[in-house]
């Protein structure tokens, strides 16, 4: 079957590796010396293996005594891990979400601006006549602080190749001859050119906000071109926290001295208020842009990768641009920020009268970040693997040749077959079922992207069944331990159904945990 990480084979004494060169035996080594060296190396390995085994046994024993449960949220980028983490937060620590509610205002603004920028960039590629406004194409070279470049190609795809699509992931790279072949009437051309001109200032506001959110951490130029978003590390909220928008006026009122922290807060608030005012001033243009039939066609034909929640935020533009706006819980669940590294969250849960600390690890799912998961495998108790099954018509930002369902299946194979995870409680979320339903209802053909789907009926139930069967097969083929796989069809932005599923998952994880720890 498919392997996800290819480990490069390395010559034992690689000339590029100074350590291996240092321990390389001398070229003058005699047969007797060689025998002695090999025997010493074997003995050293035996001792090292025994120590490893002792450490493993100790860790297992500790796991049993522990009153902690570690749950990993795994899956490709944009599969819904951080959204699910927010649902856990709503369930176990709603007050903490309230505390950071204000920080999400900047993310909501950023998401709206990012989608506008993508549409304007797509318009840039069309000749709309003399617009005279600033180009929305990135001009300055990027400084690479963190490369999230893709790993090498995987083995052959289980679903085969899909139709032609963007080769480099940029909106302009897709085949758009069909859009261009639609003759634009002069008034429409002028209308679009004017919209583009008036909305152009929002593009620089987007860049400033992206820098603010990521704390200056940037992607390299090629990752950006491929559509890379803003990566944030755990604790990003402190980059944009204002701590109560009303407080500023009170603090400043009649007081000469303000602290540096308050100054920074004020500056941030002013920046954000400015973006809010810009959005407010442009809201009619934004509505026009979003509802324009040509823009809809452009998004559809060129398969523009807008964020999942573009529709939600564009349709809420009046509410979001209100100067008293505070993000609703739904806004927070629909906001998009890419996770960099591992974000951990802890909740205290009482099970059978016993307090248990429940640690959740939300990982970054982009290919270049997956190596950071491995250190967490060792003492994990449970995994929720999220596979966005609506993504059958999409390709990875990191590798535009890789169908996203295909990537999910390969990743799931890696998780199911990983030795370190053999005993871990495994839960599979086939996520974004709501998006899948909408796509199917809109007539998007699965067979077009997944030729092996064949002539099956292009309806929701059949498609779900088809994908579920593939995931279950992966599990069955990699299940020497006879481990149960708990599968759920999910839409993790829906709080009501997700909370029910969280309860169900919690009970199954704790039941097993308590049995293993001999606590029942
Ligand atoms: N409609 C819908 N949107 C979803 C669902 N799950 C996640 N989303 C949205 O998809 C986007 C990506 O979700 P995230 O939770 O940020 O994805 P992630 O897996 O954490 O991605 P990385 O951090 O890049 O690895 C967000 O805008 C979410 O609101 C779902 O079930 N339905
Ligand atoms: Mg995330």
């Amino acid at each position: 079957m498919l392997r996800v990480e290819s480990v490069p084979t390395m010559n034992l004494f690689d000339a590029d590796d100074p350590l291996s060169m240092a321990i390389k035996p001398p070229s003058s080594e005699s047969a007797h010396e060689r025998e002695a060296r090999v025997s010493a190396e074997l003995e050293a390995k035996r001792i090292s293996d025994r120590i490893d085994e002792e450490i493993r046994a100790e860790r297992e024993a500790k796991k049993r005594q522990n009153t902690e449960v570690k749950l990993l949220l795994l899956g490709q980028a944009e599969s819904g891990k951080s959204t699910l983490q927010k649902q856990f937060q709503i369930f176990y620590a709603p007050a903490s979400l309230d505390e950071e509610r204000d920080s999400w205002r900047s993310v909501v603004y950023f998401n709206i601006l990012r989608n506008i920028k993508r549409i304007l960039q797509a318009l840039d590629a069309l000749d709309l006549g003399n617009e005279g406004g600033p180009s929305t194409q990135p001009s300055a070279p990027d400084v690479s602080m963190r490369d999230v470049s893709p790993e090498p190609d995987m083995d052959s795809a289980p679903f085969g190749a899909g139709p032609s699509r963007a080769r480099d992931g940029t909106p302009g790279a897709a085949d758009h001859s069909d859009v261009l072949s639609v003759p634009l009437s002069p008034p429409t051309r002028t209308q679009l050119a004017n919209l583009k001109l008036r909305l152009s200032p929002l593009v620089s506001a987007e860049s400033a906000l992206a820098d603010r959110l990521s704390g200056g951490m940037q992607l390299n130029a090629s990752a950006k071109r491929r559509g890379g978003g803003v990566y944030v590390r755990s604790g990003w909220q402190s980059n944009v926290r204002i701590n109560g928008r009303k407080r500023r006026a009170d603090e400043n009122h009649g007081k000469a001295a303000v602290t540096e922290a308050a100054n920074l807060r004020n500056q941030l608030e002013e920046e954000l208020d400015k973006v809010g005012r810009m959005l407010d001033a442009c809201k009619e243009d934004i509505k026009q842009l979003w509802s324009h039939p040509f823009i809809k066609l452009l998004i559809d034909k060129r398969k523009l990768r807008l964020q999942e929640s573009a529709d939600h935020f564009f349709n809420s533009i009046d509410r979001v641009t209100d100067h008293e706006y505070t993000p609703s819980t739904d806004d927070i669940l629909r906001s998009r920020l890419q996770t960099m590294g591992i974000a951990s969250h802890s909740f205290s849960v009482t099970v059978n009268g016993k307090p248990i600390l429940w640690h959740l690890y939300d990982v970054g799912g982009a290919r270049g970040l997956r190596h950071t998961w491995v250190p967490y495998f060792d003492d994990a108790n449970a995994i929720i693997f999220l596979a966005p099954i609506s993504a059958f018509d999409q390709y990875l930002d990191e590798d535009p040749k890789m169908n996203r369902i295909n990537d999910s299946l390969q990743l799931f194979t890696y998780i199911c077959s990983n030795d370190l995870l053999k005993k871990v409680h495994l839960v599979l979320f086939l996520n974004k079922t709501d998006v899948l339903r909408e796509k199917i209802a809109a007539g998007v053909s699965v067979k077009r992207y997944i030729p092996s789907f064949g002539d099956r009926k292009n309806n929701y139930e059949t498609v779900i069944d088809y994908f579920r069967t593939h995931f279950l097969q992966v599990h069955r083929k990699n299940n020497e331990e006879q481990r149960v796989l708990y599968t759920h069809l999910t839409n993790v932005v829906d709080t009501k159904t997700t909370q029910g599923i969280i309860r169900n998952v919690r009970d199954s994880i704790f039941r097993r945990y308590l049995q293993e720890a001999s606590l029942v």
Side-chain angles (χ1 to χ4, degrees):
M1 183 63 194
L2 308 152
R3 270 187 43 235
V4 165
E5 277 182 5
S6 53
V7 181
T9 49
M10 211 186 1
N11 186 331
L12 194 55
F13 300 111
D14 197 323
D16 291 336
D17 177 2
L19 181 64
S20 71
M21 289 311 287
I23 59 170
K24 186 180 176 185
S27 50
S28 58
E29 184 180 55
S30 68
H32 181 69
E33 284 167 338
R34 182 171 188 283
E35 199 179 314
R37 178 177 56 80
V38 170
S39 147
E41 281 174 1
L42 282 175
E43 176 60 9
K45 182 168 183 322
R46 200 185 55 75
I47 293 171
S48 163
D49 285 351
R50 203 194 61 221
I51 294 171
D52 282 352
E53 192 42 51
E54 280 171 9
I55 292 172
R56 207 186 317 276
E58 207 174 293
R59 206 177 273 144
E60 282 295 317
K62 213 167 149 210
K63 226 195 232 180
R64 279 196 291 276
Q65 290 162 8
N66 236 340
T67 49
E68 298 187 359
V69 172
K70 295 185 176 164
L71 169 63
L72 304 184
L73 306 182
L74 304 181
Q76 66 182 203
E78 247 185 301
S79 55
K81 300 177 294 295
S82 299
T83 313
L84 179 60
Q85 181 279 314
K86 290 172 204 165
Q87 291 284 12
F88 271 92
Q89 203 176 346
I90 294 169
F91 194 79
Y92 286 113
S96 69
L97 195 77
D98 279 335
E99 270 170 35
E100 58 186 55
R101 192 171 288 276
D102 221 31
S103 319
W104 288 97
R105 181 164 64 116
S106 47
V107 185
V108 171
Y109 287 171
F110 168 71
N111 281 193
I112 294 171
L113 293 174
R114 169 52 61 102
N115 287 317
I116 292 174
K117 178 176 162 182
R118 288 222 170 134
I119 297 173
L120 296 189
Q121 279 177 341
L123 281 178
D124 257 348
L126 305 178
D127 177 21
L128 295 175
N130 179 29
E131 304 138 42
S135 166
T136 48
Q137 299 287 10
S139 51
D142 296 303
V143 182
S144 172
M145 285 176 63
R146 178 76 171 86
D147 186 359
V148 286
S149 57
E151 292 167 0
D153 272 0
M154 311 255 177
D155 297 341
S156 62
F159 284 140
S164 67
R165 65 243 169 205
R167 298 319 276 183
D168 69 357
T170 56
D175 172 17
H176 54 268
S177 52
D178 39 359
V179 179
L180 291 172
S181 69
V182 176
L184 277 179
S185 67
T188 306
R189 206 173 271 272
T190 311
Q191 190 188 22
L192 288 173
N194 286 341
L195 273 178
K196 187 165 152 301
L197 182 64
R198 289 200 297 268
L199 292 173
S200 294
L202 296 180
V203 175
S204 41
E206 189 259 4
S207 300
L209 208 46
D211 282 352
R212 172 67 83 176
L213 280 164
S214 62
M217 185 166 57
Q218 289 189 6
L219 298 179
N220 68 2
S222 65
K224 258 192 173 175
R225 254 198 323 279
R226 288 195 302 267
V230 159
Y231 282 82
V232 292
R233 288 190 189 281
S234 189
W236 62 269
Q237 288 89 344
S238 61
N239 296 338
V240 287
R241 180 164 288 147
I242 294 171
N243 282 338
R245 296 162 64 189
K246 302 262 164 46
R247 204 175 300 166
R248 181 171 73 110
D250 303 339
E251 268 174 8
N252 288 346
H253 189 68
K255 294 208 175 139
V258 283
T259 61
E260 194 184 340
N263 268 335
L264 277 175
R265 218 160 51 215
N266 292 350
Q267 189 192 336
L268 170 60
E269 186 172 3
E270 267 153 31
E271 269 172 41
L272 269 187
D273 283 348
K274 192 170 152 210
V275 177
R277 283 196 301 275
M278 281 170 88
L279 282 169
D280 188 39
C282 294
K283 69 181 174 195
E284 295 309 323
D285 285 336
I286 295 173
K287 284 185 213 171
Q288 245 190 64
L289 185 81
W290 187 239
S291 60
H292 200 292
F294 180 79
I295 297 297
K296 295 223 176 296
L297 192 71
L298 188 70
I299 293 170
D300 185 36
K301 295 287 179 201
R302 285 178 57 178
K303 291 213 110 337
L304 275 198
R305 276 291 296 279
L306 299 181
Q307 288 164 345
E308 210 73 82
S309 309
D311 204 43
H312 168 81
F313 288 124
F314 280 133
N315 290 333
S316 313
I317 202 78
D318 283 326
R319 181 173 60 83
V320 167
T321 53
D322 188 288
H323 75 284
E324 284 291 321
Y325 169 66
T326 301
S328 66
T329 300
D330 198 28
D331 292 341
I332 296 176
L333 287 167
R334 288 176 182 274
S335 294
R336 168 73 177 138
L337 280 179
Q338 283 165 263
T339 309
M340 171 71 95
I342 315 276
S344 80
H345 302 262
S346 302
F347 311 106
S348 181
V349 185
T350 305
V351 182
N352 289 357
K354 189 178 165 60
I356 290 182
L357 203 54
W358 168 271
H359 296 286
L360 224 72
Y361 297 99
D362 170 22
V363 307
R367 274 202 190 164
L369 301 175
R370 292 176 191 169
H371 65 278
T372 61
W373 304 0
V374 181
Y376 292 78
F377 286 178
D378 235 6
D379 54 358
N381 301 91
I383 286 174
I384 298 180
F385 185 91
L386 290 100
I389 44 168
S390 60
F392 65 87
D393 60 342
Q394 295 173 336
Y395 298 83
L396 288 186
D397 280 344
E398 314 92 291
D399 176 2
K401 293 195 291 295
M402 176 57 80
N403 180 286
R404 287 187 62 200
I405 298 257
N406 211 355
D407 176 68
S408 262
L409 273 169
Q410 294 190 14
L411 198 51
F412 192 54
T413 307
Y414 170 71
I415 297 301
C416 287
S417 60
N418 191 299
D419 276 345
L420 290 172
L421 299 173
K422 281 264 147 75
K423 293 202 159 64
V424 166
H425 184 96
L426 192 56
V427 182
L428 171 67
F429 277 19
L430 297 174
N431 194 34
K432 302 202 179 181
T433 50
D434 58 321
V435 184
L436 177 71
R437 203 182 279 279
E438 280 168 22
K439 279 188 185 172
I440 299 293
V444 183
S445 153
V446 175
K447 182 186 172 185
R448 179 159 183 250
Y449 298 90
I450 314 278
S452 63
F453 186 72
D455 291 327
R456 290 172 176 81
K457 279 192 184 152
N458 204 68
N459 65 27
Y460 175 79
E461 285 74 20
T462 312
V463 175
I464 287 267
D465 225 46
Y466 183 72
F467 291 144
R468 181 169 39 203
T469 304
H470 274 80
F471 279 94
L472 295 185
Q473 241 170 37
V474 164
H475 172 251
R476 220 177 9 255
K477 283 186 186 162
N478 296 282
N479 194 24
E480 294 145 27
E481 304 275 328
Q482 304 289 307
R483 157 172 62 176
V484 178
L485 173 67
Y486 298 81
T487 310
H488 298 270
L489 296 177
T490 56
N491 159 9
V492 299
V493 289
D494 183 280
T495 300
K496 194 155 170 258
T497 56
T498 306
Q499 301 287 307
I501 293 172
I502 286 180
R503 236 176 262 125
N504 185 305
V505 168
R506 174 202 62 189
D507 290 349
S508 65
I509 291 175
F510 284 141
R511 204 176 310 122
R512 181 174 158 167
Y513 164 81
L514 292 173
Q515 274 164 3
E516 277 183 359
S518 308
L519 294 174
V520 287

